[in-house]
Amino acid sequence: MAGGQKTDEALIIIDVQNDFCAGGALAAGGDNAFIDKINRLTETCDNIILTQDWHPAGHVSFAAAHAGKAAYDTVETAAGRQILWPTHCLAGTEGAAFHPALRQDKAALIIRKGTCRDYDALSAFCDTSGRPTGLAGFLRERGFEKLSFCGLMTDFCVSCSALDAVKAGFKARVALAACQAIDINGSYARALTIMRRNGVELGLLA
Ligand code: VGL
Ligand code: ZN
């Protein structure tokens, strides 16, 4: 272990994939400066986990999979209300690959989520059917109690993951400067409020 690093802390880097970055199919907007901030965070933590949004063709979250629907419409599904997105992060494609600027070498685990056609998974912990990804089990078995989150999108996958972390009994912090939001109809402000209310610590400086 590198000197002084905490063994009960892990950094979870959410969905830093080409499709969510500038120029991608579902770009969160802004430039990619947040990736440099993430890379700097990886220097302060030895326990790194990456997640990847990883959808099959015809995934329930794709607007194109629903006749007459457009991106950002919502539909009711068996698992509740689903927001529809442009087709993104198709498993195995360049769009689903990690952004080339992201430092991946220290990652101990890569969690892929949204792999089942009928359920979305904004959270790194489980999909909308409640099926766990296995992340909580990994974290518990390795003794990680304090989790920091960064990546994309602050107002969707990052906030859902941090909220689920608190529900699962972990301490959760979001490094806002190392995140990027998409901000649809006030989703960013709403996510910040919900996270604050539920005990997620918001770090203004990465
Ligand atoms: C995400 C929308 C759809 C995210 C993933 O990573 O926040 N957002 N799939
Ligand atoms: Zn997705």
Side-chain angles (χ1 to χ4, degrees):
M1 185 184 59
Q5 300 217 344
K6 309 257 173 48
T7 53
D8 64 345
E9 294 183 7
L11 176 66
I12 302 180
I13 303 172
I14 303 287
D15 298 0
V16 183
Q17 295 165 262
N18 289 321
D19 273 347
F20 294 135
C21 296
L26 177 47
D31 57 25
N32 291 330
F34 72 100
I35 300 177
D36 292 335
K37 302 221 165 80
I38 294 174
N39 289 338
R40 246 171 274 149
L41 284 181
T42 66
E43 287 161 21
T44 67
C45 183
D46 266 348
N47 308 308
I48 312 270
I49 292 145
L50 306 179
T51 72
Q52 234 171 349
D53 210 42
W54 199 255
H55 300 311
H59 189 250
V60 67
S61 76
F62 297 166
H66 302 266
K69 292 288 182 182
Y72 312 110
D73 286 349
T74 56
V75 288
E76 292 303 325
T77 72
R81 178 166 294 186
Q82 170 72 51
I83 173 159
L84 299 178
W85 307 100
T87 297
H88 64 279
C89 294
L90 278 169
T93 64
E94 201 42 42
F98 290 115
H99 190 280
L102 177 71
R103 251 194 89 176
Q104 302 175 39
D105 55 307
K106 284 178 78 180
L109 178 72
I110 298 171
I111 287 276
R112 288 179 171 162
K113 61 187 182 60
T115 55
C116 177
R117 198 194 60 170
D118 296 331
Y119 298 102
D120 203 5
L122 293 179
S123 166
F125 288 89
C126 64
D127 69 16
T128 54
S129 77
R131 190 181 74 142
T133 59
L135 178 58
F138 173 88
L139 295 168
R140 287 197 191 105
E141 197 167 1
R142 293 283 294 267
F144 300 130
E145 293 172 0
K146 299 179 192 141
L147 311 179
S148 287
F149 292 87
C150 59
L152 297 145
M153 305 167 174
T154 328
D155 38 353
F156 288 92
C157 286
V158 174
S159 57
C160 282
S161 299
L163 288 164
D164 274 356
V166 170
K167 268 190 219 150
F170 299 99
K171 278 187 80 104
R173 177 179 186 279
V174 171
L176 288 175
C179 290
Q180 188 71 55
I182 188 166
D183 201 13
I184 300 166
N185 301 322
S187 57
Y188 183 57
R190 235 178 359 259
L192 294 182
T193 302
I194 295 169
M195 286 194 284
R196 255 190 219 111
R197 224 179 256 158
N198 287 277
V200 175
E201 187 192 331
L202 299 180
L204 293 179
L205 304 169

